C-alpha cells in the first residue's frame, strides 16, 4: 500500500505485555446522564491529579479518531450525519439551510459553532443532549461499516507496555461505541483493556480545531502538557492534524484524498499520510510488538469461544 511519511524515529519492540487499568471503564451501553456524569468525573480527576500522577508512564500516547479513520465507507455515515444535523438546525432552530455545515467547517462541530455564535443557545427549544441524541440516532452504521478483522488484529499488537491508546472523537461516546461494535473491536479493544473514549463531552465541547481539546485529552490520559511530543494523533481532518502539529503532537493523516476528491499526500502538517488506518503498523512499527500469527489466531479462537459461552440477553 502507498503512503507518505516524514519519519520521527522509533524502533520495533518485541516484548508483549497486556495494558494496565485506565481510570475510565466504559460500559457497552450508557445513558446520556451516565456519560455526562463520566465526563464530569474526568474533569474532576484531571483537576485533582497529584504531581506524581502527572508523570508520564508511557513512551507514546496514541489518539485514534473514529469516523472516517477507524473505518472508511466513502463518507456514507458522514453524509447521513450531515443531513440529520442540517434537518435539526433548520427545523428546530430555524437556521438557514446549509448553515450547519458552514459551522462544522469553521468550528469542527456544528454544536461548537452554535455555542460560540450563540445560535439557538438559550432558546426554549434548544437542548444540547436532545440535539446530540437526535442527530446520532438511526444512522446507517451496521449497513455501512462491516467488521474489520485486520484492524482488530492490528490493535491487539499495540505494545501496551509502552503505548497508551484511546479513541478521540468529535462525536459522542454512544456513536463511537456503535461504530466500534460494527467493526468488531469494541469489546476486544476498549472494554477488555479499559481504554477511554474521549468524546466531545469529555473535552467540554471543544473540538480538535481547538488546542483546549488537545489539552483536555492529554490530561485524561495523564500525559503532562510538556510531554506533548509523546502524543500521536491519527485523524482524517487536515484542520485537526494542523492544530495537533502546531501543539507539538506527532501526526498521521488518514486518507489520500479529501471528501471533495483533492489529494492530501503532501499536507505539510502531517508526519505521515496513509490511505487506511491498518497501514499504521507499517509506518510506526515501534508502537507494536512483533507479529505472531499463530498467537493471534489462538487468541481470536479463545475470544470466539468466550462470546459463544456468554448467555444471550
Amino acid at each position: 500500500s502507498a503512503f507518505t511519511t516524514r519519519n520521527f524515529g522509533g524502533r520495533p519492540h518485541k516484548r508483549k505485555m497486556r495494558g494496565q487499568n485506565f481510570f475510565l471503564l466504559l460500559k457497552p451501553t450508557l445513558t446520556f446522564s451516565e456519560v455526562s456524569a463520566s465526563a464530569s468525573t474526568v474533569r474532576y480527576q484531571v483537576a485533582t491529579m497529584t504531581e506524581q500522577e502527572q508523570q508520564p508512564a508511557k513512551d507514546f500516547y496514541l489518539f485514534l479518531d473514529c469516523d472516517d479513520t477507524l473505518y472508511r465507507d466513502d463518507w456514507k455515515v458522514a453524509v447521513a450525519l450531515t443531513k440529520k444535523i442540517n434537518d435539526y438546525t433548520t427545523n428546530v432552530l430555524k437556521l438557514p439551510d446549509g448553515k450547519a455545515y458552514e459551522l462544522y467547517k469553521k468550528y469542527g462541530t456544528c454544536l461548537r459553532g452554535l455555542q460560540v455564535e450563540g445560535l439557538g443557545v438559550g432558546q426554549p427549544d434548544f437542548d444540547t443532549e436532545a440535539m446530540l441524541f437526535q442527530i446520532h440516532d438511526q444512522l446507517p452504521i451496521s449497513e455501512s461499516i462491516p467488521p474489520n478483522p485486520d484492524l482488530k488484529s492490528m490493535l491487539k499488537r499495540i505494545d501496551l507496555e509502552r503505548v497508551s491508546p484511546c479513541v478521540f472523537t468529535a462525536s459522542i461516546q454512544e456513536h463511537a461505541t456503535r461504530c466500534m461494535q460494527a467493526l468488531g473491536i469494541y469489546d476486544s479493544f476498549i472494554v477488555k483493556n479499559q481504554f477511554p473514549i474521549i468524546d466531545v463531552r469529555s473535552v467540554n465541547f471543544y473540538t480538535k480545531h481547538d488546542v483546549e481539546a488537545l489539552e483536555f485529552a492529554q490530561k485524561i490520559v495523564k500525559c503532562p502538557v510538556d510531554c506533548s511530543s509523546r502524543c500521536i494523533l491519527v485523524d482524517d481532518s487536515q484542520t485537526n492534524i494542523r492544530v495537533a502539529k502546531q501543539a507539538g503532537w506527532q501526526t498521521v493523516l488518514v486518507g489520500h484524498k479529501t471528501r471533495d476528491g483533492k489529494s492530501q499526500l503532501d499536507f505539510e502538517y502531517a508526519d505521515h499520510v496513509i490511505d487506511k488506518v491498518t497501514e499504521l503498523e507499517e509506518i510506526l512499527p515501534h508502537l507494536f510488538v512483533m507479529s505472531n500469527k499463530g498467537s493471534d489466531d489462538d487468541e481470536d479462537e479463545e475470544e470466539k469461544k468466550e462470546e459463544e459461552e456468554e448467555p444471550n440477553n
Side-chain angles (χ1 to χ4, degrees), residues 68 72-80 236 257-261:
D68 303 307
R72 305 286 289 177
D73 68 340
D74 292 324
W75 295 281
K76 292 173 186 174
V77 171
V79 169
D236 67 298
K257 293 184 178 180
T258 63
R259 189 167 168 176
D260 56 4

Side-chain angles (χ1 to χ4, degrees), residues 31-33 35-37 39-40 42-43 128-129 132-133 169-174 198-206 216 220:
T31 65
F32 280 95
S33 59
V35 174
S36 298
S40 298
V42 166
R43 289 192 288 273
T128 298
E129 290 299 326
L132 290 171
F133 175 81
T169 177
S171 185
I172 57 175
Q173 180 176 296
E174 297 91 330
I198 303 174
D199 72 349
V200 68
R201 300 187 189 97
S202 304
V203 297
N204 203 26
F205 297 100
Y206 285 107
F216 267 113
I220 289 170

